C-alpha cells in the first residue's frame, strides 16, 4: 500500500554511499562521549534500530590540542581511540543505517584544560568555549600549524574510515571549530592567504574538504556542516551575505551539505522561543545552489512538516537531534502509519543538560534515553508481566501516568486515580505558562497510549484517602501524588520562615488562578524556568515586577538548557527588574525588605504582591499512612514515586514512574542497579 509518507523512505545517494531513507540523526552531544563508549554505542544503535537511516556521532576531537574537557565529546586523537568509536559504527550498521562522524578541530573553542596545550586559532584570542569565560588565550596559527591541522584532520578521517564510518564531516558550524573561525571576520584578522577576502577566509575549509575527499572519498561520503547564519546581523555570517556566498563557492565540493544556524543556543532553540521548522527561512536557499543532498534541522516531529520540507525542495534529508532522542522509533512509527504513537519532543532541552552537566543525556519524554546499555532499556519494548498482580496508581501527574502506562505495557491490570478532573498534574499547570504549550505532549502521549490499553483504567475526579485505597482491595500501591510549594520561603538559601510570609502567594496559588497586581516581588530559590515564567506572566498582566534571586543570574539553571540569556532578554524587554544575589528578609503590607547576599545591605521595595518560588513539600502523607497496612499484610507492596518522593524536574518524575514499572515484580537490585562503565585497567 502506498502512503503519502513513502517519499520519506526513499533512499538518498550521498557521494559513494546511500542512505536507506531520509531520516538523518545529525550530530548531537550526549555526555557519554569518549568516557562511556558502550553507553554511546547502544544509544546510537537504538536510533538505527528505530529507523534513522543515518546516525552520527557528536563532535569528535581530532587532536589533543583541540580538547574540550571537562565536556565529554568523542575523541579520535590516535589509533587507540578507534576501537571505542568502531563499536558505535557497528551498532549503527547492525540495523542497515549509515554511520556519520563529525570530526572537530575546535581552535578557539578549546580551553585545553586537560591537554594543557595552547589552542590554535586564526588569531591569538580569548577562548570562547568551556565556561565561555576562560582566562585563556589561543596561539595564532602559523603556516606550519595550518599544515599540521590539515594533516591531523586527514589522519582522523583515515581513522574514522578504519572505525567503519560511512560519512565523514568537515565541521564548520556553531562558531566552534577552526574552519568557521577562519570564515568569521570577528576571529580572523590575518593578512596572509587565509585572511582578508571571503575567498581567503574560506580557503581552510576548502582545503579540509579536498584533503578529506582525497583521503577517504573513494568509499566515504564527505559532509560539511556549515552555519549559514549566526543571527548576529552585520557582525556575523548571514544567510543573505557571506553564508550564501560560502555555499555558492563550495557548492559541489562536499557530498552533503548539513546546514543550520549558529550558535548552539540558536540551533537548539527551545519550543518557548522557536517552533517546528524554524530554521527553514535561513537554510532554504542552499538547495538552489548545489546539486548535492541537503540536510537541515528544526525540531521536526510532524510527518506532514517533514514531507512538506522535502516536497517543496527545502531539504533532501530530515535532520533531527532532539526528535530522535524523544523518539528513536519516530521513522518506524511513520512507516507503520502509527503517527499517534510518536513521542514528540517538547523542546525543553533537558537532553542538552547531559552535555552541559557532564552526565549521560536524559529526556523528559523518553525515560529510556541514556539507559540503553547500563539498564538494558528499550524505548518500545518492556519485559512482560510476571504475575497476575494488580496495581493501584494514585496520582495522574507525569510520574503516575508513566508508571500506569508502562505497567499496562507489561500487561498488568492497573487502576489509575487522579484527584482532579483532568489528569496531568504539574505538567498541565506548567504548560499553561507563557510559551510552554508543547509541554502538554508529556501528558497527551501518555493518555493516548493508556486509552489504547483496556487493562489500564483511569478514574479522574477521584481523590483517594488511605481508607479508600485499602477499600479498593488492590494489593499493590504506587503513590504519585506530587508536591506543593512551601509557603514560608524556606529553601536551599533561607532556613527560617520569612516574617510575613502569610501575605505571599506560591506558584500553586497562581496555578489555581490567583494573580497579584501592582508592584510584585518574585523570590526565586528554584532557579529553573518557573520564577522567570511567573515574572513574565505577571508583567504581561500589567504588574511592575521585580525578580529576586540568591543566584548570581536569574533562572540560573537555565544556563544548562541554553536558555538563560533568552530568558533574561525577555524579562528585560518586559521591564522586569532583575535583582540577583538577593534574598527576602521580610514581607510587610505593601513592602518587602530585601538583603544583598554579598554585603548584607538591606533595602526596602514597594510590594503589593509577593510570590515565593522555593522548596516544595512532597505529598507523601498517603505513603506514610499506609505503612501500618503494609506491615500488617493488608497490602503487598507500597512505593512512592516522582515529586511525592523527591521533588525534581518533570523528566525525573517520568523516569521515576518508568523505573517503578520496570522494577515491579522484580527482585530488589543488589548494589548499584545499573552497569557502570569503567576505564579498562590492564
Ligand atoms: P509528579 O510530577 O510526581 O507526577 P504531580 O504533582 O505532577 O507529581 O502530579 C501529582 C498528581 O496527583 C496531581 O495531578 C494531583 O492532583 C494528584 N493527586 C494528589 N493527591 C491525590 C490523591 N490523594 N488521590 C488522587 N490523586 C491525587
Ligand atoms: Fe526534546 Fe526535551 Fe527530550 Fe530534549 S529532553 S529530546 S528537548 S523532550
Amino acid at each position: 500500500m502506498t502512503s503519502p509518507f513513502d517519499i520519506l523512505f526513499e533512499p538518498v545517494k550521498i557521494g559513494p554511499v546511500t542512505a536507506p531513507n531520509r531520516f538523518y540523526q545529525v550530530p548531537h552531544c550526549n555526555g557519554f562521549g569518549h568516557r562511556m563508549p558502550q553507553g554511546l554505542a547502544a544509544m546510537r544503535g537504538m536510533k538505527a534500530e528505530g529507523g534513522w537511516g543515518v546516525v552520527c556521532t557528536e563532535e569528535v576531537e581530532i587532536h589533543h590540542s583541540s580538547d574540550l574537557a571537562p565536556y565529554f565529546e568523542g575523541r579520535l586523537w590516535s589509533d587507540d581511540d578507534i576501537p571505542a568509536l568502531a563499536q558505535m559504527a557497528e551498532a549503527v550498521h547492525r540495523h542497515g543505517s549509515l554511520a556519520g562522524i563529525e570530526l572537530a578541530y575546535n581552535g578557539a573553542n578549546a580551553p585545553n584544560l586537560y591537554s594543557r596545550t595552547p589552542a590554535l586559532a586564526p588569531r591569538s584570542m580569548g577562548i570562547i568555549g568551556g565556561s565561555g569565560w576562560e582566562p585563556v588565550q589561543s596561539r595564532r596559527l602559523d603556516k606550519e600549524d595550518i599544515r599540521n591541522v590539515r594533516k591531523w584532520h586527514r589522519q582522523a578521517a583515515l581513522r574514522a574510515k578504519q572505525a567503519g564510518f560511512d560519512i565523514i564531516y568537515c565541521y564548520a558550524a556553531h562558531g566552534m571549530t577552526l574552519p568557521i573561525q577562519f570564515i568569521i571576520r570577528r576571529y580572523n584578522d590575518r593578512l596572509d592567504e587565509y585572511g582578508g577576502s571571503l575567498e581567503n577566509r574560506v580557503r581552510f575549509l576548502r582545503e579540509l574538504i579536498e584533503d578529506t575527499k582525497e583521503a577517504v572519498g573513494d568509499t566515504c561520503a564527505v559532509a560539511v556542516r556549515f552555519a549559514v547564519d549566526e543571527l548576529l546581523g552585520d557582525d556575523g555570517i548571514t544567510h543573505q551575505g557571506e553564508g550564501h556566498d560560502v555555499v555558492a563557492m563550495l557548492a559541489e565540493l562536499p557530498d552533503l551539505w548539513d546546514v543550520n544556524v549558529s550558535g548552539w543556543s540558536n540551533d537548539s532553540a527551545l519550543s518557548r522561543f522557536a517552533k517546528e521548522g524554524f530554521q527553514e527561512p535561513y537554510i532554504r536557499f542552499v538547495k538552489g545552489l548545489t546539486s548535492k543532498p541537503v540536510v537541515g534541522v528544526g525540531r521536526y516531529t510532524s510527518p506532514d512538516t517533514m514531507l512538506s520540507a522535502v516536497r517543496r525542495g527545502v531539504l533532501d534529508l530530515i535532520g533531527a537531534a532532539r526528535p530522535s532522542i524523544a523518539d528513536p522509533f519516530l521513522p518506524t512509527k511513520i512507516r507503520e502509519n502509527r503517527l499517534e504513537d510518536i513521542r514528540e519532543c517538547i523542546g525543553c532541552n533537558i537532553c542538552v543538560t547531559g552535555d552541559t552537566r557532564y552526565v549521560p543525556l536524559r529526556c523528559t519524554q523518553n525515560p529510556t534515553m541514556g539507559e540503553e546499555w547500563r539498564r538494558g532499556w528499550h524505548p518500545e519494548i518492556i519485559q512482560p508481566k510476571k504475575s497476575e498482580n494488580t496495581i493501584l496508581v494514585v496520582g495522574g501527574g507525569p510520574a503516575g501516568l508513566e508508571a500506569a502506562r508502562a505497567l499496562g505495557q507489561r500487561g498488568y491490570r492497573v487502576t489509575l486515580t487522579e484527584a482532579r478532573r483532568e489528569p496531568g498534574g504539574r505538567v498541565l499547570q506548567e504548560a499553561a505558562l507563557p510559551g510552554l504549550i508543547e509541554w502538554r505532549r508529556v501528558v497527551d502521549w501518555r493518555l493516548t497510549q493508556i486509552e489504547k490499553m483496556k487493562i489500564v483504567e483511569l478514574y479522574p475526579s477521584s481523590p483517594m484517602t488511605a481508607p479508600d485505597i485499602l477499600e479498593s482491595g488492590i494489593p499493590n500501591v504506587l503513590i504519585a501524588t506530587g508536591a506543593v510549594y512551601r509557603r514560608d520561603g524556606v529553601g536551599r538559601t533561607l532556613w527560617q520562615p520569612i516574617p510575613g510570609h502569610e501575605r505571599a502567594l506560591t506558584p500553586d496559588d497562581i496555578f489555581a488562578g490567583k494573580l497579584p497586581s501592582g508592584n510584585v516581588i518574585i523570590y526565586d530559590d528554584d532557579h529553573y524556568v518557573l520564577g522567570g515564567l511567573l515574572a513574565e506572566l505577571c508583567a504581561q498582566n500589567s504588574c511592575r515586577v521585580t525578580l529576586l534571586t540568591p543566584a548570581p543570574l536569574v533562572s540560573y539553571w537555565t544556563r544548562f538548557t541554553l536558555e538563560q540569556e533568552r530568558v533574561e532578554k525577555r524579562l528585560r524587554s518586559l521591564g522586569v527588574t532583575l535583582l540577583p544575589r538577593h534574598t527576602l528578609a521580610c514581607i510587610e503590607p505593601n513592602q518587602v525588605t530585601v538583603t544583598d547576599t554579598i554585603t548584607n545591605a538591606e533595602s526596602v521595595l514597594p510590594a503589593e504582591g509577593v510570590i515565593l518560588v522555593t522548596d516544595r513539600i512532597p505529598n507523601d502523607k498517603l505513603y506514610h499512612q499506609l505503612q501500618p497496612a503494609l506491615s500488617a499484610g493488608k497490602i503487598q507492596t507500597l512505593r512512592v514515586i516522582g515529586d511525592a518522593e523527591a521533588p525534581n524536574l518533570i523528566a525525573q518524575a517520568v523516569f521515576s514512574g518508568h523505573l517503578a514499572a520496570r522494577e515491579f515484580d522484580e527482585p530488589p537490585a543488589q548494589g548499584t542497579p545499573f552497569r557502570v562503565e569503567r576505564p579498562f585497567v590492564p
Side-chain angles (χ1 to χ4, degrees):
M1 245 177 46
T2 60
S3 139
F5 302 118
D6 283 350
I7 189 172
L8 297 175
F9 294 90
E10 290 170 350
V12 180
K13 196 164 166 3
I14 309 174
V17 299
T18 301
N21 58 38
R22 297 183 188 272
F23 294 95
Y24 192 108
Q25 183 242 272
V26 293
H28 71 74
C29 299
N30 51 77
F32 285 114
H34 61 85
R35 179 181 49 161
M36 300 184 196
Q38 298 178 97
L40 180 79
M43 181 270 286
R44 301 291 191 200
M46 194 62 78
K47 310 273 194 91
E49 185 182 333
W52 296 88
V54 178
V55 179
C56 298
T57 61
E58 64 280 30
E59 56 200 325
V60 175
E61 303 162 357
I62 62 168
H63 192 259
H64 67 266
S65 62
S66 171
D67 147 40
L68 295 173
Y71 299 101
F72 292 102
E73 314 300 340
R75 234 177 224 182
L76 206 41
W77 293 3
S78 76
D79 286 354
D80 293 340
D81 295 314
I82 294 174
L85 278 163
Q87 286 187 58
M88 177 198 140
E90 273 163 36
V92 170
H93 288 160
R94 222 170 284 140
H95 302 284
S97 303
L98 298 179
I101 182 166
E102 188 183 49
L103 301 182
Y105 191 81
N106 299 302
N109 197 49
N112 290 340
L113 296 172
Y114 175 61
S115 67
R116 303 191 69 173
T117 308
L120 300 174
R123 64 179 171 88
S124 178
M125 60 179 279
I127 294 298
I128 53 180
S131 67
W133 312 106
E134 306 287 338
V136 176
Q137 243 177 275
S138 59
R139 172 156 74 74
R140 188 187 188 87
L141 291 135
D142 62 22
K143 291 290 168 46
E144 193 185 345
D145 293 323
I146 293 176
R147 278 194 296 276
N148 280 337
V149 179
R150 287 177 59 186
K151 185 177 79 191
W152 300 331
H153 197 276
R154 190 174 189 283
Q155 286 169 341
L158 289 166
R159 289 181 181 123
K161 178 179 172 179
Q162 204 182 324
F165 286 91
D166 310 286
I167 301 175
I168 300 190
Y169 269 75
C170 299
Y171 177 27
H174 299 122
M176 286 182 183
T177 58
L178 188 58
I180 196 150
Q181 289 156 12
F182 268 112
I183 294 170
I184 296 171
R185 281 169 303 167
R186 303 189 304 282
Y187 305 146
N188 186 344
D189 63 354
R190 302 176 73 95
L191 300 173
D192 61 8
E193 67 268 36
Y194 290 94
S197 69
L198 184 62
E199 188 72 48
N200 280 356
R201 283 179 282 128
V202 170
R203 185 179 310 281
F204 183 72
L205 175 58
R206 181 192 292 279
E207 287 172 346
L208 280 195
I209 304 168
E210 286 168 351
D211 292 345
T212 312
K213 288 201 87 161
E214 195 268 320
V216 297
D218 52 341
T219 58
C220 298
V222 177
V224 169
R225 188 159 224 215
F226 177 60
V228 298
D229 206 306
E230 296 184 280
L231 310 193
L232 292 175
D234 290 342
D235 277 346
I237 297 171
T238 64
H239 68 289
Q240 304 103 329
E242 292 193 338
H244 174 279
D245 297 346
V246 170
V247 178
M249 281 175 186
L250 303 176
E252 298 299 312
L253 201 53
D255 297 314
L256 171 81
W257 281 96
D258 176 346
V259 284
N260 62 359
V261 296
S262 183
W264 187 16
S265 61
N266 291 326
D267 192 18
S268 290
L270 293 102
S271 61
R272 280 173 79 176
F273 303 109
K275 296 300 162 201
E276 182 175 19
F278 65 95
Q279 301 208 13
E280 198 185 302
Y282 301 99
I283 55 130
R284 67 176 154 226
F285 76 88
V286 176
K287 266 195 68 66
L289 294 181
T290 176
S291 67
K292 302 299 167 120
V294 175
V295 58
V297 292
R299 219 164 43 73
Y300 290 107
T301 57
S302 147
D304 289 323
T305 317
M306 299 176 195
L307 194 60
S308 160
V310 175
R311 282 228 174 103
R312 287 179 295 116
V314 176
L315 296 173
D316 299 291
L317 296 139
I318 304 298
R322 292 173 291 175
S324 76
I325 293 169
D327 198 339
F329 277 65
L330 186 150
T332 298
K333 289 172 185 176
I334 298 176
R335 187 163 43 77
E336 294 175 354
N337 202 23
R338 294 194 288 125
L339 306 189
E340 79 283 2
D341 289 340
I342 296 173
R343 211 169 28 246
E344 288 182 289
C345 165
I346 68 166
C348 62
N349 280 8
I350 291 300
C351 49
V352 169
T353 67
D355 186 62
T356 55
R357 308 304 295 126
Y358 328 116
V359 288
L361 82 174
R362 51 198 173 153
C363 168
T364 304
Q365 273 284 52
N366 176 9
T368 68
M369 181 43 57
E371 305 294 339
E372 299 83 359
W373 181 82
R374 68 176 185 177
R375 291 186 196 263
W377 285 3
H378 189 286
E380 303 302 312
I381 303 169
I382 194 163
Q383 79 273 31
K385 67 176 178 181
K386 290 210 165 148
S387 69
E388 294 306 313
N389 262 323
T390 54
I391 302 113
L392 172 66
V393 180
V394 183
L401 284 171
E402 175 60 16
R405 184 207 66 77
L407 283 163
Q409 190 189 4
R410 289 188 63 186
Y412 288 105
R413 191 164 283 283
V414 182
T415 303
L416 170 60
T417 63
E418 164 53 46
R420 297 191 196 125
R421 198 168 44 81
E422 211 184 339
R426 60 181 289 200
V427 174
L428 288 193
Q429 299 171 329
E430 289 170 41
L433 292 168
L436 296 195
I437 187 70
E438 286 187 31
W439 287 28
R440 277 192 73 108
R441 292 172 173 181
V442 174
V443 174
D444 293 343
W445 182 78
R446 290 177 169 80
L447 285 178
T448 305
Q449 300 303 309
I450 285 172
E451 264 164 37
K452 289 205 253 179
M453 297 178 195
K454 296 274 174 296
I455 51 174
V456 181
E457 282 179 299
L458 169 64
Y459 294 93
S461 306
S462 305
M464 299 288 275
T465 60
D468 293 338
I469 293 170
L470 295 176
E471 209 170 289
S472 75
I474 303 173
N476 301 286
V477 182
L478 285 180
I479 302 295
T481 44
V484 290
Y485 281 88
R486 288 186 76 120
R487 305 205 142 268
D488 56 6
V490 169
R492 81 196 69 220
T493 308
L494 297 177
W495 57 282
Q496 286 184 320
I498 300 171
H501 63 84
E502 307 79 10
R503 294 187 182 89
L505 300 172
T506 72
D508 293 315
D509 297 321
I510 310 295
F511 294 140
K514 284 190 197 163
L515 260 189
S517 57
N519 292 298
V520 174
I521 302 290
I522 297 176
Y523 172 61
D524 183 9
D525 199 15
D526 171 68
H527 311 290
Y528 185 39
V529 288
L530 195 53
L533 282 165
L534 293 177
E536 189 173 335
L537 185 71
C538 292
Q540 283 171 355
N541 278 285
S542 310
C543 301
R544 284 176 300 282
V545 184
T546 300
L547 179 56
L548 187 82
T549 178
L553 290 171
V554 293
S555 303
Y556 183 88
W557 202 78
T558 63
R559 292 169 68 218
F560 304 119
T561 49
L562 310 179
E563 62 191 310
Q564 198 279 334
E565 285 179 16
R566 289 212 202 198
V567 168
E568 188 164 333
K569 185 173 174 186
R570 178 162 289 182
L571 292 173
R572 288 202 208 177
S573 72
L574 288 167
V576 175
T577 304
L578 307 180
L579 266 189
R581 294 204 193 273
H582 278 78
T583 57
L584 201 46
C586 101
I587 305 169
E588 291 165 286
N590 299 323
Q591 69 176 42
V592 295
T593 304
V594 302
T595 312
D596 183 316
T597 59
I598 304 294
T599 64
N600 287 334
E602 293 198 336
S603 41
V604 173
L605 302 174
E608 282 78 44
V610 176
I611 307 175
L612 302 176
V613 189
T614 58
D615 275 3
R616 284 176 277 166
I617 300 173
N619 288 329
D620 53 7
K621 202 170 72 192
L622 288 175
Y623 177 69
H624 295 296
Q625 286 173 343
L626 289 169
Q627 289 294 343
L630 180 68
S631 308
K634 291 185 190 156
I635 49 176
Q636 280 169 23
T637 64
L638 176 66
R639 182 166 177 169
V640 57
I641 60 173
D643 293 317
E645 183 187 20
N648 200 319
L649 300 171
I650 294 170
Q652 188 66 13
V654 173
F655 174 82
S656 167
H658 192 84
L659 182 69
R662 294 250 183 193
E663 290 183 345
F664 184 72
D665 258 351
E666 298 291 338
Q670 303 296 323
T672 310
F674 48 83
R675 291 199 283 176
V676 177
E677 285 198 59
R678 296 195 164 85
F680 173 67
V681 183

